[in-house]
Amino acid sequence: MDRAAIPNVLAERYATAPMRDLWSAEGRIILEREYWIAVMKAQRELGLPIPSEAIESYERVKGEVNLGSIMERERVTRHDVKARIEEFNDLAGQEHIHKGLTSRDLTENVEQLQVYRALLETRRKAIASLQALAERARQWRDLVITGRTHNVAAQTTTFGKRLSMFGEEFLMQCQSLEDLIERYAARGLKGAVGTQLDQLSLFEGDTAKVEALEARVVQHLGIGHRLKNVGQVYPRSADFQVVSVLCGLASSPGDFAKTLRLMAGHELASEGFAKGQVGSSAMPHKMNSRSCERINGFHTLLKGYVTMASGLAGDQWNEGDVSCSVVRRVMLPDSFFAMDGLLETFLVVLSQMDAYPAVIDRENTYYLPFLMSTTFLMEAVGQGVGRETAHEVIKEHAVAAVMALRQGEISQNDLLDRLAQDSRLGISLERLQQLLEEGRERCGNAQAQVDAFAQEVEAWVARYPEAGGYRPGAIL
Amino acid sequence: MDRAAIPNVLAERYATAPMRDLWSAEGRIILEREYWIAVMKAQRELGLPIPSEAIESYERVKGEVNLGSIMERERVTRHDVKARIEEFNDLAGQEHIHKGLTSRDLTENVEQLQVYRALLETRRKAIASLQALAERARQWRDLVITGRTHNVAAQTTTFGKRLSMFGEEFLMQCQSLEDLIERYAARGLKGAVGTQLDQLSLFEGDTAKVEALEARVVQHLGIGHRLKNVGQVYPRSADFQVVSVLCGLASSPGDFAKTLRLMAGHELASEGFAKGQVGSSAMPHKMNSRSCERINGFHTLLKGYVTMASGLAGDQWNEGDVSCSVVRRVMLPDSFFAMDGLLETFLVVLSQMDAYPAVIDRENTYYLPFLMSTTFLMEAVGQGVGRETAHEVIKEHAVAAVMALRQGEISQNDLLDRLAQDSRLGISLERLQQLLEEGRERCGNAQAQVDAFAQEVEAWVARYPEAGGYRPGAIL
Amino acid sequence: MDRAAIPNVLAERYATAPMRDLWSAEGRIILEREYWIAVMKAQRELGLPIPSEAIESYERVKGEVNLGSIMERERVTRHDVKARIEEFNDLAGQEHIHKGLTSRDLTENVEQLQVYRALLETRRKAIASLQALAERARQWRDLVITGRTHNVAAQTTTFGKRLSMFGEEFLMQCQSLEDLIERYAARGLKGAVGTQLDQLSLFEGDTAKVEALEARVVQHLGIGHRLKNVGQVYPRSADFQVVSVLCGLASSPGDFAKTLRLMAGHELASEGFAKGQVGSSAMPHKMNSRSCERINGFHTLLKGYVTMASGLAGDQWNEGDVSCSVVRRVMLPDSFFAMDGLLETFLVVLSQMDAYPAVIDRENTYYLPFLMSTTFLMEAVGQGVGRETAHEVIKEHAVAAVMALRQGEISQNDLLDRLAQDSRLGISLERLQQLLEEGRERCGNAQAQVDAFAQEVEAWVARYPEAGGYRPGAIL
Amino acid sequence: MDRAAIPNVLAERYATAPMRDLWSAEGRIILEREYWIAVMKAQRELGLPIPSEAIESYERVKGEVNLGSIMERERVTRHDVKARIEEFNDLAGQEHIHKGLTSRDLTENVEQLQVYRALLETRRKAIASLQALAERARQWRDLVITGRTHNVAAQTTTFGKRLSMFGEEFLMQCQSLEDLIERYAARGLKGAVGTQLDQLSLFEGDTAKVEALEARVVQHLGIGHRLKNVGQVYPRSADFQVVSVLCGLASSPGDFAKTLRLMAGHELASEGFAKGQVGSSAMPHKMNSRSCERINGFHTLLKGYVTMASGLAGDQWNEGDVSCSVVRRVMLPDSFFAMDGLLETFLVVLSQMDAYPAVIDRENTYYLPFLMSTTFLMEAVGQGVGRETAHEVIKEHAVAAVMALRQGEISQNDLLDRLAQDSRLGISLERLQQLLEEGRERCGNAQAQVDAFAQEVEAWVARYPEAGGYRPGAIL
């Protein structure tokens, strides 16, 4: 790359090393070489005259990746796969790779392998996120907050329950990712138009050997299923499934991030800072939700990649063409880089976020009298006051209290005083306060719901213990 | 509706009655009433004082839907759910519905029920399409066609195999639909902010009864799973999953339709006509692929609905708001209407399409000599001609034949004559023709692949026999 | 329509009558008939033997629209344009319409006319919105609020300035709408593949007459420009321009609505209620931003329609096909209905919204000490305190104040007290309070910016005085 | 960058140097430094104490860009703008830049400058494309081809006219680009929340000086307009305008490419090869439309970037946040890279494409008898045959001819023979052939339309003569 080389900003600023390696030029060349070696081994076992020493020669040099030399060859041959074949042959001093293969018998499978491994890596980080989210939910299981609908106070809940709500959405999307991984199918060796003619020619029409070769090659990839009927390419709607599952998976972090940005605006919580940081020195009150905003940004990117992927779906002409090529070169890695950056950021926020119980309590106190008005009504009715009367009285005072607060006549909610002073209702201030205090902690099944979420997460972590230990690195 | 009422064009022109009924105002009101009745029955069984006669009264009138009367009530109450409660109560002469429910405890579940049933209806038509596609694939299992990549002749295949290629993509997407149906989860009864406070109040804190009530209600819906942690609403990324699975499902019909439009341009095949029709009387050659074009159009719509659905995902504020309301009112029914119209059109095309073997054969004959050049090369090498020489000679003549065809010097491919006359190659015209004839039918594993596809379809039809019998109606 | 007829929900619930009329089946038929009449008049003037009495006969019946009768004819002819020709001819007792026209010479132009008039109607409402927004900006020109970045207090501004900020974005998008209207070009009369062969046949090769006919017909449409080179259809990227301009236009109302929803969460402002309403009687504090949420919902819809429109752009095969047909039937009217509903809702919110100066002032007071810390620093430096020392002292107290507020030790910002008590700084409480009061009103150029915005709006209203008077109706 | 650095594939493989330079890290730093220098010059002229030697010091070192050193600083300061300030100051040995600016007063304007210059560069290539397209249209102005609708033969046109059809669409989109450039407005110097408080502080409240400073700075940028009311950021719907105009501009190349891919499938035309190339040596007939497919691919990418851009529009919270940051870092450069690659590829295809008149003529001959059936009908009627009879006879033979062709009974269209032999019609074969020959060249106004297009292009090239000379480089 010359002086003005432009890096892939998603890869370089946001994605982590395992994801970068998977999609790097070097990483891909090594995947291709391993694939060719696996093909040769299978071909040899099935009787093709490929000496084991030849295979060993390839094995020895498979890690020697020289991008400049390959690009040199491409400029001459004007064919990228040919250039990579020649390079590998010359390094090994052999000519045994790529027998009976068309270019797509190589590239489609290797690209699917990249996608498949990227899905596994995504699952690893997703489960780590689930675990971190469940820990936070448990931590704040009993911290009562003012639940909001329409961004307005509605009923009390707990912060842990709010997090579990996003958690269950995440579980739903993880299951969708899991289903996708489970059913993902490799194209296999199919030849120029999908009929396996090229493979059959190699084995002189022996369909059993062609079948055996393909089975072993797909086994090498580690992908659980194999497509039977394809053209030159695997159906591009498979890519759409991948990208739309990623976009779905980003939804729960998206909701979480948006809500945390809202809470930060009320100083109820913040995404926190790296240890030692204390915010802008000029404005220490300003704890910007930069990472949460970034999570929402990654999601916006993924929505665009979904549009690109949908643009390729249902657009195959005959046995296929390459109008998808430039799109897939951009969309597939960039989707995974964005997803990777999103999950990494999510993990960092989960590890650093903070809640401010005092401010939360202040908000609860402010709104609670309004949220309890139905309870007061029932109490009055229980005491023998007519339902219509009670309703009228409470509404009258509630409206007055709201107006007084909004017009600055009062700065604390004085609804209880107003009600206590109204003889039509006949409830003492003490009783009202008692009811209020009881109501303060009344969050329905919230805590049990948190427990249920945490339990489900445990089952996932038990299934994928390697994910459990994952810790995010530092982010910009 | 007044004189200038605007119908939903997707529903009225393209969708079929079962799908329309599901999303019609009347259909929805009946679903709601059945839901309320199911809730009352469960509440009664769990000890709430709801007389069985009351439930019977509701049962009796549940089919009496008067939209005008409901709209009248809504204008007064300014609350749509309230209006529908009052109407049902007045009809039944009772006041027992909606106890312990918030509006969303009704509407979320009923909307999910609409989605779920619409998914089942879609699966029915999808499997019927699979069956029809498999029949066509079997019909043309052995019809050799010129396979194309980059829209240019590449290698022979069979028409049945081409259809199976689209068929396997359809299977892949049907599996994704199946996975979605399998994991689909209802919101259940959760109250105003998701903590089940309202339900617990109804049963005086008896969590077991709340659990039992919810379980029975979701069982009534027939949806296999239940969400545990939600806010006011179920996560909108669930809708994104639905719409993106629909869009994925449209991909194979999309590919099929696009390819059939291409084939029609070469007169190799056509989407056919309704029985008795013979095309435009002025221009009988003009068999327009209108239905295939429409299939591609439906898919374009679905891609837009995916963008709408992704716009709602990751945008939940706190326990939820209604910024999704107008979007879901449009996107959910319209996605299903578009999908329904697409599958109906697909089924019609599958039932009427035609192939023209004579034209197909003409194309094969035109291209076959080019497609066989590698075989000729190997024959010459086998006869002792040097590989480089043979390659040079064949290329020289092939280029000349292409140029002569393009420049109008010849109108039939004469490559065989050119090769036979060149003594450097030493292959007789007879031998060349023999090789060509052998090559004409050489389609690798194409036929076996068709059989494999047909077999998989049989398994699906066996699983869903009610789908097998479905026949499309007439389309515009 | 039968019992289960499904209305277009955007048209019926949200759009206004002028927009509905434009896209209704009846409205369209009248546009078509007026178009045919204009064509006949021009043809007559150019010498074609069309009696003026015939034209009068058509004029007389053009308003008699019987959709059922037309649909009856379509079922027989299986051709929608033919059905409408026959109906009009039979009503008039003449056979002079549609001479020398292909179907698309009719439908393309009439659809463009619908688009064009819908653009004009949109402009009218957009300018009315500008005016209402400018009124509000002027009303709250001097109302100081706490400006926020990252949803966190940053610097003071005024509410009028915040509205003007959204106003300028609206002006930018109005200009884009204006540019589009200005350059919009009609397809004109071009025949089956765009060469005007059909028109030339009618006038026996007289190109001048064909030119004159087309010019007059486009003049009838009132569209300023004419395309010269088209195929069967006008380029579909013209539709993409339209829908993307609409989506752009929705952006400023979108930003406004989102910000008002945020402000409502802090009780700084609300979208208000219709006169007489006082919110939920049970929870009078709950002034939900339903209309603002709906505005954001409409925008989400428009973003999906943009995806549909982009799906048609760049997808023309040869001289055109109808894979765009079902897409345009849905996307064009629905985009305009959504836009119309959005602007109507925007106008309602602008007419009913409210600000709560007391709550605003409370917020200012809470944050102002933090926002002024730089001023305090400069004051101290001016008094001879070392810059580093001053900075250290202020930061120390600011952090302490923030922490005390978050941890509930204090409920009012006491930074001034803390600073006044620190002898290292040497500024008296009176001086600090004086600086604070000066700072409270310091909003830079905010007010002048409001005036500039209002002035620009005046110029627009002066240019389109008919828009100025527009008042929204009631919304659901 | 370490070993596994991932390049931006759009920039490195497809975009050209001017576009890469504009968006490279180095290019941006130089733009920033020039901007700071322009600000200092204006500040000095307006009386701020900035020595001219200081400015000269900055001028001297502005080209010394050391990305590594800047990144080193960013790791310490954790603030990217601060790091770049320090680097520039240290290089110059001065501390005069960035006075009275917030970070966004720098970055917003510089990013808008990148966008603006990228728009100008795009316009340059667009006009060069127009010119190349007009040349091709003129070249094939009179080459009669079979026009197609629904991908089926419809009426004759000329190849030049077909290209002009795409040309006029391109003109329409160029005008939209032109309008955008014309109205594009810079954010200017506005301070932290848009009120210019920071600028006013610098000039001690002198609004005239603030106004003068901003005017000069925007003049330096070369952008014609200035926004008055913004928050922290300029409205993100301005980016949506940019990306959607790019996507619109790609539509005509998209239509062109798709149609050329179709024509290549019929061997009527091809996108050609670089000089000296002769296609695949194994399959010389296989002239793949790889570049045209790539053009369609670039357009698919742009549609996705439109979705990203629309995702940012209408999503501003208060005075702004950075949830747009990662999106804009990706979407803005990548949109322009994709557009640049698209136009470069378009120019290459235009320079290398070829038409095959002999094949075109063969197609015309095959379809012409069908396309002329209306003319034959009129001839018969002119000779006294009843209209209904003539219609019936022609239809009978036309259907028979179509069927015979499709069923392989004949390989040439023999409709004329069939008609001549039918005594009911009474037209001789000679007369039919004469009519056919006359019809062969009858393309309406096609040629005049080509001329009109070419003339419009000339006006554009005259306006932007620097664009006229542009020639594309080699593409991969």
Side-chain angles (χ1 to χ4, degrees), chain A residues 255-272:
Chain A
D255 286 336
F256 163 87
K258 215 159 267 183
T259 295
L260 199 51
R261 289 165 61 194
L262 291 169
M263 292 179 79
H266 292 270
E267 298 189 57
L268 302 165
S270 85
E271 66 177 40

Side-chain angles (χ1 to χ4, degrees), chain C residues 319-431:
Chain C
E319 276 67 38
D321 54 58
V322 302
S323 62
C324 55
S325 173
V326 67
V327 185
R328 293 175 67 252
R329 273 177 199 271
V330 172
M331 166 197 78
L332 288 175
D334 284 5
S335 295
F336 279 107
F337 291 144
M339 189 76 228
D340 198 55
L342 184 150
L343 289 175
E344 193 75 6
T345 310
F346 188 30
L347 281 161
V348 166
V349 172
L350 285 169
S351 75
Q352 297 181 354
M353 68 185 290
D354 219 343
Y356 303 111
V359 186
I360 288 170
D361 193 55
R362 219 178 294 149
E363 183 181 63
N364 293 345
T365 299
Y366 182 92
Y367 285 115
L368 204 57
F370 296 135
L371 305 187
M372 298 293 292
S373 53
T374 316
T375 306
F376 300 154
L377 174 77
M378 281 155 62
E379 175 76 10
V381 171
Q383 303 295 324
V385 182
R387 189 187 182 83
E388 286 311 302
T389 305
H391 186 274
E392 194 51 44
V393 171
I394 292 172
K395 184 177 157 185
E396 186 185 314
H397 290 301
V399 169
V402 164
M403 290 302 166
L405 281 163
R406 295 232 167 112
Q407 281 151 21
E409 296 159 12
I410 54 174
S411 67
Q412 304 288 326
N413 190 336
D414 63 354
L415 178 59
L416 261 56
D417 297 325
R418 292 174 192 254
L419 294 179
Q421 282 157 24
D422 194 314
S423 58
R424 289 174 292 175
L425 217 56
I427 320 181
S428 69
L429 186 59
E430 292 68 36
R431 179 61 185 147

Side-chain angles (χ1 to χ4, degrees), chain A residues 168-169 179 183 229 237, chain B residues 168-169 179 183 228-229 237:
Chain A
E168 175 143 38
E169 181 179 20
D179 288 351
R183 68 175 180 262
N229 278 283
S237 62
Chain B
E168 174 142 37
E169 182 179 18
D179 289 350
R183 70 175 178 261
K228 289 199 192 68
N229 277 284
S237 62

